[in-house]
Amino acid sequence: GRCDGDEPQTRSDASGQYRIDIPKDSGLPLLAYINAGEAQESGQAVDASYVMASPSAYSSDITPFTTLVRLTHESNLPLAEDMVRSLLGLPPRFDIHVHAPAAPGSLAAGVVKSVVVALKAVGRDFDVSSPGAWQQLATAMAPSLTALPILRIETAGRAPIVSKEVYLDATYELTVPIVSPDPVLLNGKIRGRGQSTWGHPKNPYKIQFKDDAGYAKLADVLGMPKNRNWVLLADYFDRSLQRNKVALSLGSSSVFSDGLKWTPAGQHIEVHLNGDYVGVYLLTEDIRIAPGRLDIWKMSSDPAKNQVDGGYIVEVDFRLDCYNQGDLNLQLVTPWAVPICVDTPDEEAITQAQLAFIKGFIVGVERDIYELDKLDRINLVSFVDWYLLSELFRNVDSAFGSSV
């Protein structure tokens, strides 16, 4: 965990750049000693010496995050990144392998600052190779690192939220202690959501931020990619408040990265609604076709372009709670009695050709599986990963009744 005299060493220049010749096949980590009075942070001389590290063959950038990856002592580096995210409570796709300074006001900037303070506390002689190094560093980290963010919501006139279809205007105060004690003020809308989860003492909600000056100040949303559309999951039936969080994080982890290309991320947050504390929620990405979310091709709604082979979102729903009026019917009951709703494109965007295509595709895939024993039209790896996660977390909806 320390440099010996016969090991390759160098000093960085004023910009932090360095060059070092590492022996081929070296399994040793890179170590960087930051000396008080010599190195600089944000244009100021460092006030206390500390050490950072990077695992062998991981990164030539030596950062607080690479130091944490080194402290896991895990040779599977993608798994080591997952461990760091989990141990620090970071979102599952939070970028650990960074190559540039974190954006001001971002969760990354707050976490980096907290880790550096802890590294200074343990000092220049901190042994990164010690089995107890992670625990030693963790005890030196600021309490704000694990303090839950707070979201205060005020509906217009403090009106109660009683509808799952009609939005109410709302204002938001979002405080992320590790970033700043001051809240970010946001405007937007809110409505109810859910099926069996709606109508209980703790309800789930769909929220939307307005694209205004307040929103422009956000660098990210609790470390997740910036977006205006979010879901507040109540987890009312899960007293641990952990099942959805762990399932979503595992779905986004390196363990399932071969099959599950995108899984919504979520972060726990304390919520106050119209002055009342309503509990800990999971602020979660909603499922939509968009960059940074479900990044698939969004088809044109112009019938003349006849775009049918593109991005669709369909949902199993025994209630068939979707549009069916006139000659536009987004409901489908397959020959094997699976009730399905076409969610995206919705009734305002879908063309008749697109509707006919996706219904025919679903019926065809079902026939391939049950009658012809063919699997070539489904992503088998993705399906197996989804099945394993559903079994692991005993997801009752995965029996193809609802919300699948």
Side-chain angles (χ1 to χ4, degrees), residues 171-183:
T171 58
Y172 303 90
E173 291 185 7
L174 177 61
T175 305
V176 186
I178 190 62
V179 176
S180 171
D182 300 320

Side-chain angles (χ1 to χ4, degrees), residues 70-129:
R70 168 67 180 121
L71 296 186
T72 66
H73 301 294
E74 172 57 56
S75 59
N76 182 328
L77 295 176
L79 181 58
E81 291 183 344
D82 288 336
M83 293 169 64
V84 170
R85 295 185 189 100
S86 177
L87 289 165
L88 293 182
L90 301 174
R93 294 190 303 278
F94 185 91
D95 189 8
I96 296 292
H97 204 166
V98 295
H99 300 283
S106 66
L107 184 70
V111 172
V112 164
K113 183 177 179 179
S114 179
V115 174
V116 169
V117 169
L119 287 169
K120 289 178 180 179
V122 296
R124 193 179 187 277
D125 293 329
F126 179 53
D127 186 356
V128 298
S129 65

Side-chain angles (χ1 to χ4, degrees), residues 34-35 37-47 120:
I34 295 84
N35 297 319
E38 298 181 43
Q40 290 195 347
E41 293 173 345
S42 303
Q44 302 292 324
V46 173
D47 59 352
K120 289 178 180 179

